[in-house]
Amino acid sequence: MSNVNYCYLLTSLKPTCKYHTYIGYTTGPPRRLRQHNGELQHGARRTSAKRPWEMVLVVEGFPTNLTALRFEWAWQNPHRSNVLKHIRLTRAGGKRKLKEKIMYLHEMLNVNPWRRLPLTVHWLTSEYDAFKSACKEVPSHMVVKVSRLQDLGSR
């Protein structure tokens, strides 16, 4: 059986780092969040200073890990991605930074090569629902739903 590939968005819950974000790739979102939060070994070193983290959303349905990794890179680097060159990018801080990452995601889901994929966006918290209102709708064949982290991937 092949692994399911996910890209995810984290936000820091540390009071001095509120709304700082991290975008990553994994085959097991629950395990990966535990790594980021230092509960398991081999977490991302870049996120250790801003613990604890909350997983805001997960995108699932990439046919290969290479497709997911390319999506991750474009989401992390929208200002360098040729796919997103049509978007007017700003370098926001605070709450706007998280909102912009969510907006970039919705833009990415509406452009090639990703708009034709059967992707599912799993929102893991309703705290950021207001951020979605300013975003483009996802293509009609994609699924957007509220999910529980423990129901996604391996532990």
Side-chain angles (χ1 to χ4, degrees):
M1 185 175 130
S2 63
N3 286 328
V4 179
N5 301 292
Y6 302 90
C7 287
Y8 60 89
L9 174 64
L10 302 178
T11 188
S12 177
L13 296 176
K14 186 175 183 177
T16 57
C17 301
K18 190 77 171 150
Y19 301 114
H20 284 238
T21 61
Y22 180 86
I23 293 167
Y25 159 84
T26 188
T27 56
R31 174 190 46 79
R32 192 67 180 123
L33 181 60
R34 291 182 69 206
Q35 288 175 321
H36 281 292
N37 284 328
E39 299 170 29
L40 299 175
Q41 293 292 320
H42 309 293
R45 205 172 306 154
R46 286 185 52 209
T47 60
S48 62
K50 296 177 184 173
R51 291 177 182 153
W53 292 91
E54 173 184 40
M55 200 168 277
V56 175
L57 62 86
V58 175
V59 182
E60 171 189 11
F62 300 97
T64 66
N65 66 334
L66 183 59
T67 306
L69 290 167
R70 286 179 174 160
F71 186 91
E72 174 200 27
W73 184 89
W75 197 8
Q76 290 171 338
N77 302 283
H79 54 285
R80 294 174 56 198
S81 171
N82 287 333
V83 174
L84 299 174
K85 61 186 169 194
H86 68 282
I87 301 172
R88 184 171 176 218
L89 300 170
T90 60
R91 300 227 186 226
K95 191 181 275 192
R96 285 190 357 229
K97 185 174 186 176
L98 177 59
K99 183 178 181 179
E100 285 185 356
K101 298 290 183 175
I102 293 168
M103 290 176 72
Y104 296 157
L105 167 67
H106 282 254
E107 288 286 342
M108 290 172 65
L109 295 174
N110 280 285
V111 297
N112 282 328
W114 303 296
R115 73 173 161 202
R116 66 180 182 270
L117 297 177
L119 300 176
T120 300
V121 179
H122 298 274
W123 283 88
L124 304 174
T125 176
S126 60
E127 183 179 340
Y128 308 106
D129 281 351
F131 292 174
K132 291 187 275 186
S133 63
C135 296
K136 279 187 176 181
E137 290 292 320
V138 301
S140 60
H141 69 279
M142 292 184 187
V143 177
V144 178
K145 63 184 183 178
V146 177
S147 301
R148 295 179 331 149
L149 179 61
Q150 56 268 32
D151 294 337
L152 301 175
S154 64
R155 295 174 200 261

